[in-house]
Amino acid sequence: MTVTDPHTTADLAAQTRPGAFPSGFAWGAATAAYQIEGAAAEDGRTPSIWDTFSHTPGKVAGGDTGDTAVDHYHRFRDDVRLMAELGLTSYRFSLSWPRIQPTGRGPAVERGLDFYRALTDELLAHGITPVATLYHWDLPQHLEDAGGWPQRDTAHRFADYAQIAAEALGDRIGIWTTLNEPWCSAFLGYASGVHAPGRTDPGDSLRAAHHLNLGHGLAVGALRAALPASAQIAVSLNLHAVRAHSEHPGDLDAARRIEAVGNRIWTSPMFKGRYDEDLLADTAHLVDWDTLVRPGDLAEISRPIDLLGLNYYNPTVVSSLDNAKDLPRHDGHGDSTHSPWPGADEVAFHLAPGEVTAMNWPIDPTGLSDSLLHLHREFGLPLLVTENGAAFDDTVEADGSVHDPQRAAYIQGHLGAVADAIAGGADVRGYYCWSLMDNFEWAYGYEKRFGMIHVDYDTLVRTPKTSARWYAEAIRTGRLDHSTDQR
Ligand code: FCB
């Protein structure tokens, strides 16, 4: 654990990197079903935990819901055309579990699958490689009513759903991601409660974590059995780029704890077939790991995968509480009196130095290059940046255009960090900007805009921003040194 002196975005941006990205590098953008599709009650779809949560007063800013979202369900052909105009070579989206298997059990709804057949056909017709995420947080409400992720059975239901999806769509989707950010599902969903289903029980959050891991492993098995041998299987983790505030032993221990319950709780079982002793010790008072983890689980969870997806937004700077007088215990994930970090009550979260985005997330691309290089050295897997991007308060100008040089500079700096990691030896195969277009940003509703394409929430009209044009030029030339400030 070192305390790194971050370069500034400007340093990175000043560098030019012709040829930094290998041929076949995926230039992508990412979205998720509940955030964009809308059509919440159409064609047999039933509520997910996010429908229930967003319809519960006080849970989402402005009372916003994903009922209509950006109506991608009806406008996907236009959206794919916009992707093609940007020159995207790949698109990462998620399948809505309650659209495909409404109660989370039993046979599939063909109309739900038809939507994804049509979407992927449209992508393929435009030369865009589809990457499907099976689970981006929209658990069928029926399964939450039966106990949700703290229940072991949910992992088996997830594997059945994976099999259904792979059998129906495996002929046209070659890259599959099991879970998106299980840390958020487990700890924002069941510990701090700022995400659906909004529960606040640290023991349940750890049970959820293990069952998400198990669900991942079982789904990998189901996918392998159903997909052609050429298919590639991945998982998308929001591994925290953890930095100790100082070399003080208390701060180093805080960093160790957050790495354990933030990162190694996923990577050790998935890639090393074990839970680390320090994690088990830190959380032993909250859950009985001996009964939770059954014989054979770790072998299931550690089934080999082909690619590791990293979602990165900002570094995480921590200290012990003793070394953090007067600091709010703020970690950028929404307000709750309950911590999303079980077993880490004595840890304080600091804001990394420098500029922040509209989420108050610090901007520091070195966290991305550090993480990619670390993952490369530690696990040796090919890597994808499956999410990276920034919210800013955009303004629509009189002529309808949206000038967002800050977002373009953010993407430039972080693509520079990817180039640095590749130069350092990491096998990074693609970058997916979060997000293609403005959308429902979970607990923040429509208040926070992450899109490269602006969406007018009254008319649903899409308008590419400056950042979209900057990204299109990067894709076209493979270079990062063009101006981020060009209207
Ligand atoms: C990630 C989520 C994604 C989006 C971004 C901003 O944690 O995976 O859906 O909300 O944050």
Side-chain angles (χ1 to χ4, degrees):
M1 180 63 48
T2 51
V3 185
T4 323
D5 185 20
H7 323 308
T8 64
T9 313
D11 289 340
L12 284 160
Q15 298 170 37
T16 61
R17 295 180 177 77
F21 299 96
S23 75
F25 186 81
W27 296 91
T31 63
Y34 190 71
Q35 296 181 272
I36 64 165
E37 285 181 1
E42 275 180 53
D43 292 337
R45 185 186 180 280
T46 56
S48 73
I49 53 175
W50 268 98
D51 295 85
T52 309
F53 189 77
S54 65
H55 280 271
T56 307
K59 298 296 185 189
V60 173
D64 294 343
T65 74
D67 288 359
T68 306
V70 299
D71 196 32
H72 173 72
Y73 193 74
H74 299 115
R75 295 166 195 248
F76 70 93
R77 289 185 203 284
D78 292 342
D79 291 337
V80 173
R81 187 179 43 74
L82 285 169
M83 294 178 213
E85 282 169 14
L86 292 188
L88 296 191
T89 65
S90 186
Y91 172 55
R92 172 177 179 251
F93 58 99
S94 80
L95 308 179
S96 161
W97 188 349
R99 197 180 284 296
I100 292 178
Q101 201 189 22
T103 62
R105 300 170 198 279
V109 169
E110 283 303 316
R111 283 168 302 168
L113 288 167
D114 283 344
F115 170 68
Y116 297 108
R117 291 188 180 106
L119 169 64
T120 45
D121 284 349
E122 195 73 12
L123 290 165
L124 293 168
H126 285 83
I128 300 171
T129 302
V131 175
T133 301
L134 282 167
Y135 187 70
H136 202 125
W137 307 353
D138 43 1
L139 186 71
Q141 181 62 40
H142 276 81
L143 293 184
E144 173 59 19
D145 294 343
W149 285 109
Q151 281 295 326
R152 188 176 172 92
D153 184 58
T154 304
H156 292 281
R157 301 285 66 75
F158 181 61
D160 287 354
Y161 154 63
Q163 182 185 339
I164 289 174
E167 283 172 354
L169 301 165
D171 57 343
R172 52 196 103 194
I173 301 175
I175 306 178
W176 293 74
T177 295
T178 55
L179 304 174
N180 177 71
E181 302 191 358
W183 183 87
C184 296
S185 300
F187 300 121
L188 302 181
Y190 293 92
S192 71
V194 300
H195 280 186
R199 284 157 64 179
T200 53
D201 181 319
D204 275 344
S205 74
L206 291 161
R207 281 178 209 102
H210 177 61
H211 297 141
L212 283 154
N213 276 328
L214 183 61
H216 158 81
L218 293 167
V220 173
L223 291 174
R224 286 268 185 246
L227 293 173
S230 57
Q232 293 187 295
I233 301 177
V235 65
S236 288
L237 303 176
N238 57 322
L239 298 171
H240 302 78
V242 183
R243 291 170 177 170
H245 186 58
S246 80
E247 296 289 348
H248 186 282
D251 293 357
L252 295 178
D253 191 61
R256 178 200 61 70
R257 274 176 195 267
I258 296 307
E259 283 193 321
V261 76
N263 300 348
R264 288 184 279 114
I265 192 169
W266 318 109
T267 55
S268 291
M270 286 182 188
F271 306 121
K272 297 181 175 171
R274 63 156 202 253
Y275 283 107
D276 294 345
E277 289 303 325
D278 63 333
L279 169 74
L280 301 181
D282 290 346
T283 55
H285 59 295
L286 298 171
V287 76
D288 179 2
W289 286 96
D290 287 340
T291 52
L292 178 61
V293 183
R294 298 198 190 160
D297 283 4
L298 289 162
E300 202 65 64
I301 297 170
S302 59
R303 283 173 180 272
I305 58 172
D306 307 299
L307 296 159
L308 173 55
L310 172 69
N311 293 359
Y312 172 84
Y313 291 89
N314 54 268
T316 302
V317 181
V318 297
S319 73
S320 78
L321 268 190
D322 294 346
N323 295 330
K325 309 237 168 7
D326 308 327
L327 249 191
R329 288 178 53 200
H330 150 96
D331 66 356
H333 291 289
D335 290 332
S336 171
T337 49
H338 301 270
S339 167
W341 300 99
D345 291 343
E346 302 304 309
V347 174
F349 291 83
H350 300 241
L351 212 53
E355 290 170 47
V356 294
T357 69
M359 299 290 281
N360 208 27
W361 292 353
I363 302 174
D364 182 354
T366 66
L368 178 55
S369 41
D370 288 353
S371 296
L372 290 168
L373 286 165
H374 167 78
L375 294 173
H376 167 68
R377 284 191 292 262
E378 181 99 0
F379 307 117
L381 276 172
L383 303 167
L384 291 176
V385 178
T386 39
E387 284 182 26
N388 171 251
F392 288 106
D393 297 326
D394 298 323
T395 8
V396 181
E397 308 204 357
D399 64 358
S401 65
V402 179
H403 187 50
D404 63 341
Q406 289 168 296
R407 184 176 290 103
Y410 181 98
I411 298 169
Q412 180 188 47
H414 288 77
L415 274 167
V418 173
D420 286 347
I422 293 172
D427 180 5
V428 189
R429 306 252 172 116
Y431 173 90
Y432 293 80
C433 180
W434 186 273
S435 180
L436 176 69
M437 53 191 164
D438 294 335
N439 58 50
F440 176 81
E441 178 46 38
W442 308 115
Y444 296 90
Y446 297 100
E447 202 174 78
K448 303 292 180 197
R449 293 176 177 271
F450 274 89
M452 291 185 289
I453 296 174
H454 178 268
V455 179
D456 179 320
Y457 291 124
D458 294 325
T459 61
L460 295 172
V461 166
R462 280 85 158 129
T463 308
K465 306 176 190 177
T466 296
S467 55
R469 285 190 292 279
W470 185 89
Y471 192 46
E473 182 73 0
I475 297 172
R476 199 179 62 76
T477 61
R479 298 178 65 111
L480 307 178
D481 54 345
H482 46 294
S483 166
T484 49
D485 203 8
Q486 216 138 36
R487 281 170 192 273

